[in-house]
């Protein structure tokens, strides 16, 4: 055993000679948090506390002081009827387990950078639990990061029996949450309305959050939840636990509230239709469940997730993102050389740094003209692009920007050369007609099959080998697994399909990243369908939604920001009427919303007026100036659009608190509406900040422009922002869509 402190060394020595009647305490800690477990050999491993960091003395007194302890990994079948994280059928048909502690180890982890994630320094504590009767072992792991307040937990289930153990539920982790007025914040949604916030007080019964899509696991519900422990959720005060399951596939999060003093929370792979046959001698490793605690409200928990994401869970989380133009909403499938070249020239002229050619560039026998053919046939359509991809890469180079390209590697269409050649590569229930998706012909490729994995890897590998100048890939995935069946998996192991698909996906992503660590890759899945920590480590960012309407984006980006940092949130200025909900908003409003994330554009610049081009040019240059604060700063959400006060507001502050960027968007439009004054947060109370507005519509200045205020004043009072522009006609023209972006610079 390796230990990090003398106290722990003492604990471990005691462990080997432990008395069975005295509970030993083991604390898993980050700088700001403690997870305290009762770990006595031969007894159940129990969680007694998770919250703000405790001294060793206080931690040691918890049980004696009446703090309740619950099994750290509750199992089904013997003495536990509340909630199980693990349930199995053993080779003899029996269904009972009872796990007791055998030993535990603790070791430092120093992982160097893999080329796209930062180095990792953490302490891993592993508790080895064994069933009292059968040779089934469960390792319960807790990885505590040294640089951020985040603890990851996951398990390894080892089958030491002589037969197959069927896993029927196999969660990543469990946490008891003390009752009181506990509220849950989680997300629902659909295509074009992702990450819609749900807030509810936990009441007796079971709250279930789950995904069964097979591919797009963040489109409807999301694998993340926050618990506000002090009543109705508040942004910048109150105790909050945040939990995110890091798994790219189907998941199940459950909160059981019964007659005990606690809410019982588990999260893991969704066991529905996925019972797993664990063969003799095999080990099943569950995905990580990331846990954080903050006493600075929801925003505090978000900041913990954002820091952890930028440092460890997002490719290149320490690198500024380029400002790009994506061709989708501008031209859809109507790609051709002169259009692409002109779009590149236009974004370069506006100050952008990257052009991404979206769907529609491929297909020889079946050229991709709309969404009903060609996926899988990743050869360039020479009718559209006679000089091929290299010509485009060179053209981008001549405009002094980078070039990116769209692909959808996990998919095909029944109308494609790939499907003609490999009909057995698609996922479909055997003996049944194929069940198709988008365009009436889309099909999901069977990533459980290593040959399909090679094919998917080969798409990226071939593009990057032939055209090493490609800087960015948009990786899309627009269909769910809607027919259960693999031609690759054995007939009696079809229940592994959902899990094997994601093992295959991980394998492909690992191979791509090993060979192309510098490539920028966006995760897209019909919009925000892959905003998830199981996907992100290989990706730089995700597309928040196909809905680019600025007003609805305020809500979607608000929800997305609970767990994901702005640097990962692709947020584009698009045209009006908006292509999903037909809303017309002013360009300034669209820019001000897009600027709060990773700024880009999604329109046809040639349709813009000269004045609009100039306005965007100025906005892009201003964004570049404050980009480090927006992309790396600490987020403070101030006023939620969900509060229906007619306003939404948030700000980013540099860690040094030298500079902050404040966003203010009107969300409702009523004549004579009186808006609240927004108190700021995250500033240094003792420093003086000068206020400057960017992305200004005219030379008319806000009354506080250029004036300096203490951080204390700004946080206690905020600034009085006029509801409308001064000019009455302007006010009517804009229909009230008013917004402001303020830069606060400390003297
Ligand atoms: C999906 C994506 C869009 C776009 C289209 C292309 O819908 O979410 O951004 O790439 O596919 O077909």
């Amino acid at each position: 055993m390796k230990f990090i402190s003398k106290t722990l060394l003492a604990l471990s020595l005691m462990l080997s000679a432990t008395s069975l009647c005295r509970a030993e305490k083991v604390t898993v800690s980050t700088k700001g948090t403690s997870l305290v477990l009762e770990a006595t050999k031969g007894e159940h491993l129990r969680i007694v506390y998770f919250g703000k960091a405790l001294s060793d003395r206080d931690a040691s007194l918890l049980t004696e002081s009446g703090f309740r302890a619950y099994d750290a990994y509750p199992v089904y079948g013997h003495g536990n009827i509340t909630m199980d994280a693990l349930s199995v059928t053993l080779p003899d048909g029996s269904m009972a387990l009872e796990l007791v502690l055998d030993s535990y180890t603790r070791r430092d982890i120093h992982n160097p950078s893999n080329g796209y994630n930062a180095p990792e320094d953490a302490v891993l504590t592993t508790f080895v639990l064994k069933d009292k009767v059968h040779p089934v072992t469960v390792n319960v792991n807790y990885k505590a990061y040294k640089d951020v307040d985040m603890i990851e937990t996951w398990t390894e289930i080892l089958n030491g029996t002589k037969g197959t153990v069927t896993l029927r539920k196999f969660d990543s982790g469990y946490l008891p949450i003390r009752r009181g007025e506990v509220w849950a914040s989680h997300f629902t949604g659909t295509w074009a309305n992702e990450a819609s916030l749900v807030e509810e007080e936990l009441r007796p019964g079971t709250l279930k959050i789950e995904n069964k899509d097979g591919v797009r696991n963040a489109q409807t519900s999301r694998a993340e939840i926050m618990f506000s422990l002090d009543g109705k959720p508040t942004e910048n005060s109150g105790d909050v636990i945040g939990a995110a399951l890091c798994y790219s596939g189907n998941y199940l999060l459950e909160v059981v509230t019964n007659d005990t003093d606690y809410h019982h929370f588990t999260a893991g792979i969704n066991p529905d239709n996925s019972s797993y046959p664990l063969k003799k001698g095999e080990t099943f490793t569950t995905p990580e469940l990331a846990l954080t605690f903050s006493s600075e409200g929801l925003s505090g928990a978000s900041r913990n997730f954002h820091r952890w994401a930028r440092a460890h869970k997002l490719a290149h989380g320490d690198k500024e993102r380029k400002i790009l133009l994506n061709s989708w909403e501008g031209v859809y499938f109507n790609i051709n050389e002169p259009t692409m070249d002109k779009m590149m020239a236009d974004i370069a002229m506006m100050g952008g740094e990257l052009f991404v050619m979206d769907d529609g560039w491929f297909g020889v026998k079946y050229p991709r003209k709309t969404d009903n053919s060609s996926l899988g046939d990743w050869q360039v359509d020479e009718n559209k692009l006679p000089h091929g991809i290299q010509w485009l890469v060179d053209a981008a180079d001549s405009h002094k920007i980078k070039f990116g390209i769209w692909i959808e590697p996990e998919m095909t269409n029944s109308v494609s050369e790939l499907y003609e050649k490999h009909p057995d590569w698609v996922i479909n229930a055997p003996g049944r007609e194929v069940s198709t998706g988008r365009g009436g012909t889309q099909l999901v490729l069977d990533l459980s099959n290593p040959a399909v994995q090679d094919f998917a890897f080969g798409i990226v590998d071939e593009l990057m080998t032939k055209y090493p100048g490609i800087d960015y890939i948009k990786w899309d995935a627009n269909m769910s697994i809607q027919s259960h069946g693999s031609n690759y998996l054995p007939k009696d192991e079809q229940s592994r399909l959902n899990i094997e698909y994601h093992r295959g996906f991980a394998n492909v992503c690992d191979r791509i990243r090993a060979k192309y660590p510098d490539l920028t890759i966006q995760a897209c899945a019909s919009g925000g369908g892959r905003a998830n920590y199981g996907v992100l480590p290989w990706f730089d960012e995700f597309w928040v939604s196909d809905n680019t309407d600025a007003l609805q984006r305020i809500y979607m980006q608000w929800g997305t920001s609970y767990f994901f940092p702005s640097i990962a949130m692709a947020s584009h200025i698009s045209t009006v009427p908006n292509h999903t909900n037909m809303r017309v908003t002013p360009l300034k409003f669209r820019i001000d919303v897009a600027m709060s994330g990773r700024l880009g554009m999604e329109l046809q610049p040639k349709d813009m007026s000269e004045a609009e081009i100039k306005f965007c040019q100025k906005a892009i240059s201003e964004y570049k100036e404050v980009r480090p604060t927006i992309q790396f700063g600490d987020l403070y959400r101030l006023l939620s659009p969900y509060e229906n006060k007619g306003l939404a507001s948030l700000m980013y502050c540099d860690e040094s608190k030298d500079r902050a960027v404040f966003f203010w968007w009107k969300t409702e439009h009523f004549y004579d509406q009186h808006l609240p004054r927004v108190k700021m947060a995250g500033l240094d109370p003792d420093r003086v900040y000068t206020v400057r507005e960017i992305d200004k519509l005219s030379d008319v200045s806000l009354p506080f422009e250029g004036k300096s205020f203490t951080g204390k004043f700004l946080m206690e009072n905020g600034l009085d922002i006029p509801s409308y522009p001064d000019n009455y006609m302007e006010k009517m023209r804009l229909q009230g869509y008013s917004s402001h972006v303020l830069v606060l610079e400390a003297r």
Side-chain angles (χ1 to χ4, degrees):
M1 289 184 190
K2 283 188 196 158
F3 300 94
I4 53 156
S5 71
K6 281 188 184 160
T7 328
L8 290 167
L9 179 61
L11 266 176
S12 82
L13 292 174
M14 285 159 71
L15 192 68
S16 52
T18 190
S19 100
L20 284 181
C21 53
R22 197 172 164 265
E24 304 298 343
K25 300 284 187 323
V26 176
T27 302
V28 173
S29 29
T30 64
K31 273 188 198 135
T33 56
S34 298
L35 172 72
V36 184
L37 297 110
E38 284 179 5
T40 305
K41 190 177 167 76
E43 295 193 2
H44 291 204
L45 175 73
R46 291 194 174 98
I47 294 175
V48 62
Y49 176 90
F50 178 55
K52 207 169 191 161
L54 294 183
S55 66
D56 284 354
R57 187 188 146 72
D58 287 340
S60 72
L61 290 173
L62 287 169
T63 323
E64 291 79 343
S65 329
F67 274 65
R68 293 284 301 275
Y70 285 93
D71 281 8
Y73 196 63
V75 294
Y76 178 74
H78 190 72
N80 163 41
I81 51 160
T82 298
M83 172 77 162
D84 34 86
L86 177 68
S87 66
V88 304
T89 303
L90 293 153
D92 64 1
S94 63
M95 290 170 63
L97 285 178
E98 186 186 4
L99 299 177
V100 292
L101 182 67
D102 182 66
S103 60
Y104 80 94
T105 58
R106 182 165 274 195
R107 66 185 174 90
D108 272 357
I109 300 178
H110 304 284
N111 287 327
S113 167
N114 52 16
Y116 54 97
N117 297 137
E120 196 178 75
D121 274 316
V123 178
L124 176 64
T125 308
T126 302
F127 296 94
V128 180
L129 312 184
K130 290 191 184 290
D131 182 49
K132 275 186 164 174
V133 176
H134 295 273
V136 172
T137 302
V138 176
N139 296 334
V140 178
N141 297 293
Y142 296 100
K143 180 159 108 183
Y145 283 85
K146 290 188 179 169
D147 56 344
V148 278
D149 281 327
M150 195 65 67
I151 296 172
E152 286 171 17
T153 181
W154 73 97
T155 58
E156 289 141 325
I157 305 157
L158 289 71
N159 176 7
T161 73
K162 293 204 169 69
T164 296
V165 172
T166 304
L167 306 182
R168 292 183 287 105
K169 191 165 193 272
F170 33 100
D171 282 323
S172 295
Y174 161 83
L175 197 66
I177 293 162
R178 182 76 171 86
R179 275 170 82 166
E181 201 194 331
V182 177
W183 283 64
S185 305
H186 59 101
F187 303 93
T188 180
T190 183
W191 175 79
N193 184 28
E194 292 88 339
S196 184
L197 177 66
V198 179
E199 287 180 325
E200 55 187 313
E201 189 180 352
L202 291 176
R203 297 273 182 203
T206 300
L207 169 65
K208 268 188 171 200
I209 300 166
E210 66 180 331
N211 175 273
K212 295 186 176 188
D213 181 285
V215 176
R216 297 168 300 191
N217 74 348
Q219 191 178 48
T220 50
S221 55
R222 296 237 157 145
E224 300 97 30
I225 186 165
M226 284 198 189
F227 298 100
S228 295
L229 309 183
D230 300 319
K232 207 168 179 331
T234 47
E235 283 295 349
N236 292 302
S237 63
D239 288 350
V240 172
I241 289 171
L245 184 75
C246 310
Y247 183 55
S248 57
N250 296 351
Y251 55 78
L252 173 64
L253 273 55
E254 273 184 293
V255 187
V256 171
T257 303
N258 57 6
D259 60 347
T260 60
D261 278 341
Y262 283 73
H263 306 281
H264 304 275
F265 169 60
T266 55
I269 292 177
N270 197 331
D272 273 8
N273 311 309
S274 286
S275 65
Y276 192 91
L278 187 66
K279 295 200 182 115
K280 161 179 147 192
E282 281 183 352
T283 299
F284 185 92
T285 304
T286 63
E288 298 98 12
L289 170 67
L291 299 168
T292 198
F293 173 87
S294 172
S295 46
E296 293 176 25
L298 297 166
S299 278
S302 296
R303 288 192 291 280
N304 290 349
F305 272 99
H306 298 173
R307 284 188 201 115
W308 173 72
R310 286 193 300 263
H312 306 292
K313 290 285 153 176
L314 193 62
H316 315 115
D318 58 344
K319 301 229 162 41
E320 277 187 11
R321 282 8 184 188
K322 297 187 184 80
I323 298 161
L324 63 85
L325 170 66
N326 178 295
S327 67
W328 180 241
E329 287 187 39
V331 298
Y332 297 104
F333 296 99
N334 303 321
I335 277 168
N336 62 57
E337 257 170 24
T339 305
M340 296 297 97
D341 189 46
K342 176 79 172 80
M343 288 180 102
M344 288 193 245
D346 286 342
I347 186 64
M349 180 255 295
M350 283 189 273
E353 299 149 327
L354 169 71
F355 172 73
V356 181
M357 178 172 68
D358 210 281
D359 198 352
W361 60 268
F362 52 91
V364 176
K365 182 173 171 190
Y366 303 106
R368 175 89 163 166
K369 294 201 171 92
T370 180
D371 60 5
N372 64 7
S373 73
S374 328
L375 295 173
D377 301 349
W378 301 106
Q379 293 79 37
V380 74
D381 175 358
E382 289 183 357
N383 293 317
K384 288 179 178 174
L385 302 168
H387 300 96
I389 304 294
Q390 189 55 47
W391 187 90
L392 295 165
V393 176
D394 293 342
D397 199 47
S398 73
H399 296 300
K400 302 201 169 31
I401 58 170
K402 299 284 182 192
F403 179 77
I405 195 164
W406 179 96
I407 49 175
E408 198 175 351
E410 298 153 78
M411 305 287 161
T412 189
N413 293 100
S414 55
V415 183
S416 71
E417 292 187 69
L418 180 73
Y419 184 65
E420 284 170 356
K421 211 162 140 202
H422 296 290
D424 56 322
W425 276 11
V426 304
I427 289 181
N428 202 58
R432 292 172 197 277
E433 227 177 272
V434 282
S435 173
T436 52
R438 190 180 182 197
T441 58
Q442 187 154 339
L443 297 162
V444 184
L445 292 172
D446 183 0
L447 275 183
S448 74
N449 182 343
V452 177
Q453 293 167 25
D454 286 348
F455 171 77
F457 167 74
I459 298 164
V460 175
D461 195 33
E462 194 177 323
L463 278 173
M464 294 310 295
T465 309
K466 281 195 186 155
Y467 318 110
I470 292 178
D471 183 72
Y472 177 108
I473 279 180
K474 175 172 172 179
W475 177 302
D476 215 334
N478 290 311
M479 193 184 158
S480 47
I481 296 178
Q482 57 192 36
S483 177
H484 194 120
S486 163
N487 282 305
Y488 174 75
L489 293 171
K491 280 205 171 69
D492 58 350
E493 290 185 24
Q494 294 286 312
S495 69
R496 277 171 34 202
L497 176 60
N498 285 326
I499 291 171
E500 294 303 340
Y501 183 92
H502 287 279
R503 286 181 173 159
F505 175 70
N507 176 290
V508 173
C509 293
D510 277 342
R511 287 169 68 187
I512 291 170
R513 276 308 183 192
K515 197 159 173 193
Y516 305 104
D518 298 333
L519 185 64
T520 304
I521 316 181
Q522 179 188 78
C524 176
S526 313
R530 274 191 167 162
N532 170 280
Y533 279 116
V535 176
L536 278 184
W538 301 287
F539 292 80
D540 297 68
E541 60 175 31
F542 53 85
W543 185 219
V544 173
S545 176
D546 278 352
N547 185 344
T548 48
D549 164 50
L551 182 61
Q552 210 169 338
R553 272 289 181 127
I554 292 174
Y555 291 79
M556 291 187 282
Q557 294 181 184
W558 191 269
T560 305
S561 80
Y562 271 51
F563 285 88
F564 301 101
S566 59
I567 195 169
M569 288 165 46
S571 181
H572 296 178
I573 305 162
S574 63
T575 196
V576 286
N578 182 266
H579 80 151
T580 46
N581 62 15
M582 299 297 136
R583 198 192 319 271
V584 177
T585 53
L587 180 59
K588 173 175 163 55
F589 190 73
R590 283 176 271 147
I591 295 175
D592 285 359
V593 172
M595 268 196 182
S596 67
R598 193 282 280 136
L599 178 68
M601 300 187 89
E602 183 102 11
L603 41 65
Q604 170 51 289
K606 91 171 166 45
D607 298 338
M608 293 165 77
S609 69
E610 215 168 289
E612 286 175 328
I613 296 255
K614 280 214 171 99
F615 197 56
C616 286
Q617 214 167 21
K618 184 167 75 70
I620 286 175
S621 101
E622 287 170 336
Y623 180 81
K624 282 182 182 165
E625 204 194 307
V626 293
R627 173 161 51 185
T629 306
I630 294 172
Q631 296 193 354
F632 304 113
D634 284 328
L635 170 69
Y636 291 82
R637 284 183 302 264
L638 304 171
L639 183 61
S640 169
Y642 289 91
E643 283 190 36
N644 301 321
K645 298 254 169 72
L647 257 193
S649 179
L650 55 79
M651 64 196 286
Y652 297 100
C653 300
D654 284 347
E655 212 181 337
S656 62
K657 302 203 183 286
D658 288 345
R659 184 168 65 184
V661 182
F662 170 89
F663 290 90
W664 184 98
W665 307 289
K666 249 174 120 268
T667 52
E668 288 171 3
H669 317 298
F670 297 103
Y671 194 84
D672 195 30
Q673 192 173 10
H674 302 285
L675 299 174
R677 197 193 283 144
V678 179
K679 292 179 184 173
M680 298 191 184
L683 300 169
D684 181 336
D686 301 325
R687 292 176 78 183
V688 172
Y689 293 87
T690 306
V691 183
R692 175 165 60 91
E693 182 173 20
I694 59 171
D695 198 30
K696 278 170 75 163
L697 259 188
S698 67
D699 291 340
V700 181
S701 292
L702 290 165
F704 41 76
E705 171 89 41
K707 301 203 166 58
S708 305
F709 306 85
T710 59
K712 182 172 185 293
F713 176 84
L714 294 169
M715 292 194 288
E716 287 175 356
N717 298 282
L719 294 169
D720 245 326
I721 299 180
S723 308
Y724 296 100
D726 282 345
N727 176 315
Y728 183 80
M729 288 316 284
E730 187 69 353
K731 164 169 138 184
M732 290 299 107
R733 195 177 69 78
L734 297 179
Q735 299 164 34
Y737 283 102
S738 176
S739 57
H740 294 284
V741 184
L742 307 178
V743 181
L744 309 163
E745 266 143 341
R747 283 217 205 112

